[in-house]
Amino acid sequence: MGMLIIIDQPPYGTWAGREALDMAFALAAFDQPTSLLFTGAGVNWLRKAQDTADIEQKSLEKNLAAAPIFGIEAILADRTACQRYNLNSEAMIDGVQLTNASADLLGQYSQTAFAG
Amino acid sequence: MGMLIIIDQPPYGTWAGREALDMAFALAAFDQPTSLLFTGAGVNWLRKAQDTADIEQKSLEKNLAAAPIFGIEAILADRTACQRYNLNSEAMIDGVQLTNASADLLGQYSQTAFAG
Amino acid sequence: MNQLHTLHILNKTPDHPRFSECLGTLGPDDAVALTENGVLGLVASKALGLVQTYALESDLSARGLSDDNLEAATIDYSELVNLTLQAERVISW
Amino acid sequence: MNQLHTLHILNKTPDHPRFSECLGTLGPDDAVALTENGVLGLVASKALGLVQTYALESDLSARGLSDDNLEAATIDYSELVNLTLQAERVISW
Amino acid sequence: MTHSTPDSEKTSFTLVITGAPYSSQAPQTALSFAKATVAAGHTIDRVFLYGDGVHLASALVTAPSDETHWPKQWAAFLEEHEVPGVACIASALRRGLVDSHEQKRYQLGANNLLAPFAIAGLGEWVEGSIKSTRTIYFHAGA
Amino acid sequence: MTHSTPDSEKTSFTLVITGAPYSSQAPQTALSFAKATVAAGHTIDRVFLYGDGVHLASALVTAPSDETHWPKQWAAFLEEHEVPGVACIASALRRGLVDSHEQKRYQLGANNLLAPFAIAGLGEWVEGSIKSTRTIYFHAGA
């Protein structure tokens, strides 16, 4: 059981994914079992070597790297979405489990939420 | 020449189309030649018999009906989008010209804008 | 007691990426409740109709669709509240 | 003087309906400038590449795409400003 | 984080609104849902505003005379049914929504939080999602 | 509404921002564009905030200490280059953004417009789109 937070928007262009990550961290801080699922264009969060100096935003790659330390149980990514965005395992940050965003997957969690 | 305001979002769910209509009316009020193009899911603005009493919003069908009075030159709708949303001429409000949202169409206007 | 596995509340137009994401995760015992712009899925999406589909009457009326012969059961808010309790879980897309 | 007919500034992901709306209106003398999430079109869209395509370097870098071998000319903001003046018209999608 | 069945003694809801009024339909859909919830005899534990949804708690919104004033409608509902309405502090500060406490803390020129809304952390949302029978989200459509 | 060619004597821009800060990237993309515009010797006639873009003119935004404060960055740019920044009055009133004039007119408890932004009607945008060489829109992405 536990809670699944879904991120389906890419980083930087909108704040929705960032605020979804905050939700996941808050759940983990209260010892709630929590996983993250990246799907659709949201899988672009998982690309290595994000350099945000020129757009003056914090690197979300670094934020996400803190997820295991905060107690997030799993970082999941939809396999089809990764293929669509040409994101192979070499280009991907460590610690991501490939999966299929499906009824079976969502059925494993008691609650599922987007940030917006 | 003149200005083309594009509405590609349906009414009521968001305010973008409503604010696009305000832009068109403002241009017309300053005697600028102005046309409206409905495309994508935005063609759902053109469906007859919108009854908004239960969602407590103003009927945008009525707003749009005022367009010719305000001096909007043409209300255009993308043919393909109308087909996709099963919007035939009987279900459509009066005064709409079917067209194709294409390079040729946009090329007839000096400026083209969305509200958001 | 819980015949309804997951209730998917869907308020996006059929052109929005989350509409197809939602359809891609429907299980056989799930149901979809179309709200706001989501009701436009009834005139544009061919993938609906595989599971039980509901649509909010007030949103259909606002969009000029209340008289159409649509493949959905029309509901009011009281029925939507009931559906969220009948389902084992609810996902708002 | 104006070889560039219309400059299309596109900041939506390739999954967003406006991305395909934009591609559907490209003329042969048009150009596309990808900004923000629009740069993701370079890894996901097969329809780009039919017209001259530019992409903002700062948005590519932020998204980890600056070292990729992409089918676009990378530009900075000063070049984007120039493009808006070279074009007969500019449309922001 | 287990769910009670509908026939349990007390059925309660947490509502989360992430879409702004006059930009999305989310606050009005959520209000209709909330009214149906209390009409059916259920309890609303809490309404949590997150992301752009915090704009619903603005005291400075002026609606055109022929449009519904959603912040006031929501405030009246919360007061009538004694439901706590909470705006996420992180979302609120970034978006320029502050109460008198945050005004002092950050030395701002004014405050603009509409009573009875309060500002608090994501912990309120976590608690709701654990304790309520159902947590229902109202996002901006498109 | 005819366009000057780039080699005309004075090239000028109207910039329209419709996306909110801390929700979309629009205000920051627009600021980078604006800086490049003046660096190239062009004039910015006016920056017009429309729809959710009006939130950029909020005086009550508090950014986290490690994030850029976009309203302040924009205000500094407008002052340095003497560029008028205008928020659409209809968008602003609906979204809870008011100056002292509108505060009095609608008897509100506070005002929250950040200087040097002003509030005005869509006529300012119409004028810009007629007179400027180019009008460039910065919408919320997705």
Side-chain angles (χ1 to χ4, degrees), chain A residues 5 17 20 33-34 48 66 73 86 92:
Chain A
I5 301 291
T34 305
K48 272 182 194 163
E73 295 193 335
N86 199 20
M92 206 182 291

PDB file of all heavy atoms in Angstrom, chain A residues 5 17 20 33-34 48 66 73 86 92:
ATOM      1  N   ILE A   5       2.852   9.357  -5.884  1.00  0.00           N
ATOM      2  CA  ILE A   5       2.771  10.720  -6.415  1.00  0.00           C
ATOM      3  C   ILE A   5       3.244  10.657  -7.864  1.00  0.00           C
ATOM      4  O   ILE A   5       4.341  10.171  -8.146  1.00  0.00           O
ATOM      5  CB  ILE A   5       3.669  11.681  -5.601  1.00  0.00           C
ATOM      6  CG1 ILE A   5       3.247  11.707  -4.128  1.00  0.00           C
ATOM      7  CG2 ILE A   5       3.644  13.086  -6.207  1.00  0.00           C
ATOM      8  CD1 ILE A   5       1.914  12.354  -3.850  1.00  0.00           C
ATOM      9  N   GLY A  17       5.624  19.770 -11.136  1.00  0.00           N
ATOM     10  CA  GLY A  17       6.436  18.649 -10.713  1.00  0.00           C
ATOM     11  C   GLY A  17       7.188  18.943  -9.432  1.00  0.00           C
ATOM     12  O   GLY A  17       7.300  18.098  -8.535  1.00  0.00           O
ATOM     13  N   ALA A  20       4.894  18.601  -6.681  1.00  0.00           N
ATOM     14  CA  ALA A  20       4.611  17.177  -6.444  1.00  0.00           C
ATOM     15  C   ALA A  20       5.730  16.562  -5.610  1.00  0.00           C
ATOM     16  O   ALA A  20       5.488  15.754  -4.706  1.00  0.00           O
ATOM     17  CB  ALA A  20       4.468  16.444  -7.773  1.00  0.00           C
ATOM     18  N   PRO A  33       4.578   5.567   3.710  1.00  0.00           N
ATOM     19  CA  PRO A  33       5.246   4.916   2.571  1.00  0.00           C
ATOM     20  C   PRO A  33       4.860   5.613   1.265  1.00  0.00           C
ATOM     21  O   PRO A  33       3.677   5.755   0.966  1.00  0.00           O
ATOM     22  CB  PRO A  33       4.720   3.481   2.621  1.00  0.00           C
ATOM     23  CG  PRO A  33       3.525   3.506   3.514  1.00  0.00           C
ATOM     24  CD  PRO A  33       3.674   4.659   4.431  1.00  0.00           C
ATOM     25  N   THR A  34       5.848   6.067   0.530  1.00  0.00           N
ATOM     26  CA  THR A  34       5.613   6.938  -0.623  1.00  0.00           C
ATOM     27  C   THR A  34       6.525   6.570  -1.778  1.00  0.00           C
ATOM     28  O   THR A  34       7.718   6.338  -1.588  1.00  0.00           O
ATOM     29  CB  THR A  34       5.906   8.404  -0.237  1.00  0.00           C
ATOM     30  OG1 THR A  34       5.121   8.745   0.909  1.00  0.00           O
ATOM     31  CG2 THR A  34       5.590   9.354  -1.378  1.00  0.00           C
ATOM     32  N   LYS A  48      20.135  13.046 -16.942  1.00  0.00           N
ATOM     33  CA  LYS A  48      21.373  13.490 -16.280  1.00  0.00           C
ATOM     34  C   LYS A  48      21.835  14.856 -16.771  1.00  0.00           C
ATOM     35  O   LYS A  48      21.493  15.265 -17.888  1.00  0.00           O
ATOM     36  CB  LYS A  48      22.500  12.502 -16.588  1.00  0.00           C
ATOM     37  CG  LYS A  48      22.617  11.345 -15.643  1.00  0.00           C
ATOM     38  CD  LYS A  48      23.830  10.510 -16.077  1.00  0.00           C
ATOM     39  CE  LYS A  48      23.827   9.161 -15.405  1.00  0.00           C
ATOM     40  NZ  LYS A  48      24.728   8.238 -16.094  1.00  0.00           N
ATOM     41  N   ALA A  66      17.894  13.693  -3.686  1.00  0.00           N
ATOM     42  CA  ALA A  66      17.721  13.594  -2.238  1.00  0.00           C
ATOM     43  C   ALA A  66      16.570  12.684  -1.833  1.00  0.00           C
ATOM     44  O   ALA A  66      16.381  12.393  -0.647  1.00  0.00           O
ATOM     45  CB  ALA A  66      17.494  14.992  -1.649  1.00  0.00           C
ATOM     46  N   GLU A  73      10.345   5.570  -1.115  1.00  0.00           N
ATOM     47  CA  GLU A  73      10.628   4.145  -1.276  1.00  0.00           C
ATOM     48  C   GLU A  73      11.127   3.783  -2.664  1.00  0.00           C
ATOM     49  O   GLU A  73      12.032   2.973  -2.818  1.00  0.00           O
ATOM     50  CB  GLU A  73       9.375   3.339  -0.947  1.00  0.00           C
ATOM     51  CG  GLU A  73       8.989   3.480   0.530  1.00  0.00           C
ATOM     52  CD  GLU A  73       7.966   2.463   0.958  1.00  0.00           C
ATOM     53  OE1 GLU A  73       7.203   1.974   0.097  1.00  0.00           O
ATOM     54  OE2 GLU A  73       7.924   2.163   2.170  1.00  0.00           O
ATOM     55  N   ASN A  86      13.319   9.353 -25.827  1.00  0.00           N
ATOM     56  CA  ASN A  86      14.686   8.947 -26.160  1.00  0.00           C
ATOM     57  C   ASN A  86      15.603   8.960 -24.938  1.00  0.00           C
ATOM     58  O   ASN A  86      16.742   9.427 -24.999  1.00  0.00           O
ATOM     59  CB  ASN A  86      15.226   9.888 -27.258  1.00  0.00           C
ATOM     60  CG  ASN A  86      16.411   9.282 -27.976  1.00  0.00           C
ATOM     61  OD1 ASN A  86      16.614   8.062 -27.932  1.00  0.00           O
ATOM     62  ND2 ASN A  86      17.209  10.119 -28.608  1.00  0.00           N
ATOM     63  N   MET A  92      20.096   8.360 -18.007  1.00  0.00           N
ATOM     64  CA  MET A  92      19.201   8.504 -16.866  1.00  0.00           C
ATOM     65  C   MET A  92      19.952   8.526 -15.549  1.00  0.00           C
ATOM     66  O   MET A  92      20.972   7.854 -15.399  1.00  0.00           O
ATOM     67  CB  MET A  92      18.208   7.327 -16.865  1.00  0.00           C
ATOM     68  CG  MET A  92      16.899   7.628 -16.175  1.00  0.00           C
ATOM     69  SD  MET A  92      15.806   6.194 -16.162  1.00  0.00           S
ATOM     70  CE  MET A  92      15.401   6.053 -17.893  1.00  0.00           C
TER      71      MET A  92
END
